[in-house]
Amino acid sequence: MSNMGRVPEEINVGRGDPVYMAHAYLTKVPVPAIMPFIEAYCPPGGVVADPFAGSGMTGAAAVATGRSARLSDISVLGQHIGTNYVNLVDPKAFKTAASRALEQARRAVGPVYSVPSADTGEPVELAKTVWSVLVKCHGCGEAVTYYRAFEAAQWVKAKMTCPHCGAPVTSRNPRVGEEPVVDFVRRADQKTQHEQAASSPTEAQSAWNGVGFPSVEITPDREMYKASALGKSGMTTVASFYSPRNLRVLAALHEAILNEPDESLRGKLLFAFTATLTRASKRYQWSPQRPLNAANANYYVAPVFYEWNVFDLFERKIVAALRSDEWIEGERGATLLREASPLDATYEIASADALPYVDGSVDYVFTDPPFGSNLFYADMALF
C-alpha cells in the first residue's frame, strides 16, 4: 500500500545509522529522517531535488526509496561526499582495492608507527599517541607540560599549577610547543592496547622520502582564521593541523589511492580517505574520561590531543563505507523497485539562484538550507 501523502506525526531517529556514520559533514540530516517525506510526497520512481545538498543525505534517501536524485550545491567537498554515498561499489573489489592502497602506502613510509615496547623493548605497533601542549608559566616563564600539570592536579583544572614556581596554570597560558606524553600500543598477536610512556617520533618516521603534500594556506580573510586566532598560534596552513608523521602517511595513502585505475573504486577510496582527515588531525580531543572527538565546525586544537594511527582510521572507514552501501542497498531492495528503477543520482556544482534543473523534471524538493552565521562551511571544507 502506498504511503503517498502521509507523513508520521512523529519521526524519531538517531544519528547512528550506517549512512550517517560513514562520513562527517556540518549539519547533516539523518537519512531515515528524510525518507518518510520522500515516500509521502514523491511518487515511486519519481525525481527528488535538493538545491542545498551538502553531503548528499537527500540523494541517499532518494536512492534508498527507489527514487532518482538531482542534487546541487556550491560545495566541492559536499559533491565529493554526496556523490560517493550513492556510488555503491562491489564489496569484494573495494576491499581488494583498499588493501592494495594500504600496502603501497605502507611500503612508501616504512614502519612509521613502530615503537619499542616498554616491557620487552621489542617493536610494537602504535595505535595512538596522546600529545600535550607546552604552555609558558606567567609566574616564572618556564615551559610547563599541560598534561603533567593536569595529572598532578588529579584532573581538576582549577587546581593546576606550575611545577617550577606554583603559579596557576590554565589553557589560556601561551602555547610554546608540543610533546608526546602517552603511547597506546598493541603487539602483533594481540588486539588489546597497552598504555606506556610516549616515544618521540624518530627523524626517519617523520622524513618525507619523496612523498609530498599540497600546501594549503588558511588566509587572514577567512572567518575561522580570525575566530581561532591562527596568526597568533602560527597554525596558518592545513598541514599545521597534522603531526609530521600523520601528514606523511596521509600523503602516501592519498598518492596510493590516486593510482587506483577503476574510477568508481577510486572515488569510494577517496571517500573513506576524506572521512579520516578530521580524526587524523590534532583536532581530536583527549579527556581523562574518554576521547571527545573533534568539532567539525571549528579549528580548535585542545591542550591535550590524539595522534591516531592513520592506517587504522582508514581501515575503519573502509568498513563504514561498506556498511553504508549495504544499508542503502537493503532499503532499495525493500522497495521492490530495484530492477524497475535503476540507481539514478546526479550532483552538480551550482548556486541555488541558477539551478541546473529542466522545467517540469522534478517531482519533489527536499532541502535543508545552510543556517547559522557561526558555521563557516567553506572554511571547514579545507579539511
Side-chain angles (χ1 to χ4, degrees), residues 216-236:
V216 180
E217 184 181 3
I218 305 173
T219 53
D221 60 308
R222 287 189 174 273
E223 292 293 339
M224 287 306 301
Y225 182 102
K226 307 166 190 173
S228 298
L230 298 188
K232 183 178 180 181
S233 68
M235 301 182 74
T236 57

Side-chain angles (χ1 to χ4, degrees), residues 268-287:
K268 201 73 169 187
L269 289 173
L270 286 171
F271 174 86
F273 175 82
T274 55
T276 71
L277 293 179
T278 299
R279 180 169 287 197
S281 76
K282 297 177 182 180
R283 292 162 54 215
Y284 201 106
Q285 303 178 48
W286 171 95
S287 82

Side-chain angles (χ1 to χ4, degrees), residues 12 81 92 131 150 157 269 280 383:
N12 296 313
I81 298 172
K92 185 177 180 179
W131 285 73
F150 195 14
K157 292 181 179 179
L269 289 173
F383 290 86

